[in-house]
Amino acid sequence: MRPRADPAGAGQESVWDYPRPAVAEPTAARIVIEHRGRIVADTRSAIRTLETSHPPSYYIPRGDITAGMLRRADGSSFCEWKGAAAYWDVIVDGDVLPCVGWSYATPTVPFAPLRDHVAFYAAPFDRCTVDGETVVPQPGAFYGGWITSHLAGPFKGGPGSMGW
């Protein structure tokens, strides 16, 4: 059962207006990830993915992730839109955040711009921002969207949303 979309306010996007199947688009928003007082990533060249009922996930160019902080993790998964995903650990001053990032080495054709980019779950980090606003992680343990005040929900991932 599809829930009723929350009304979108001035300057907001409704995640219920996002397409299905998902799409990838460039964004000029400044995306910053911080942990233990260190910058993990900082970019204005991210690609965001948009899918009905989901807040955007932000894919950061590898060159905008601080050198030496990424380590290939075990495991993989498959996305019906993007293809086979690999996972990444982030290491900050010896603190290992396991499987907090994912990427697509050979994404499907519509998602080719994601090649050489990594997306991250927001929850494990001290702070993730979009244009200076601290994000709220998408509910649930699987999805990696970032919620800001510029979005209207409700958002998939919480209890009872599996069938959306």
Side-chain angles (χ1 to χ4, degrees):
M1 177 175 96
R2 180 182 164 161
R4 185 180 309 231
D6 295 337
Q12 282 190 313
E13 296 177 345
S14 172
V15 297
W16 293 94
D17 291 335
Y18 289 166
R20 186 164 176 89
V23 298
E25 67 177 27
T27 179
R30 183 173 183 204
I31 309 300
V32 179
I33 300 173
E34 301 171 48
H35 193 69
R36 293 188 174 247
R38 303 270 313 273
I39 300 296
V40 174
D42 187 347
T43 191
R44 286 190 177 274
S45 300
I47 305 291
R48 70 181 192 155
T49 56
L50 306 177
E51 180 180 352
T52 305
S53 77
H54 295 263
S57 293
Y58 292 91
Y59 289 77
I60 299 169
R62 293 278 308 259
D64 291 340
I65 300 167
T66 301
M69 288 191 176
L70 281 181
R71 176 178 72 193
R72 180 70 170 84
D74 291 334
S76 63
S77 63
F78 186 79
C79 172
E80 64 185 310
W81 316 120
K82 298 177 226 69
Y87 288 86
W88 297 91
D89 298 336
V90 170
I91 305 167
V92 180
D93 296 333
D95 183 19
V96 178
L97 303 173
C99 294
V100 296
W102 68 96
S103 65
Y104 298 91
T106 56
T108 61
V109 172
F111 290 90
L114 300 183
R115 185 175 289 116
D116 299 321
H117 288 64
V118 180
F120 297 92
Y121 295 103
F125 297 97
D126 292 340
R127 186 168 187 241
C128 297
T129 62
V130 175
D131 283 337
E133 179 182 347
T134 300
V135 305
V136 173
Q138 182 173 5
F142 182 73
Y143 301 110
W146 291 16
I147 300 170
T148 67
S149 63
H150 301 287
L151 299 174
F155 307 105
K156 184 170 182 162
S161 68
M162 182 62 74
W164 293 1

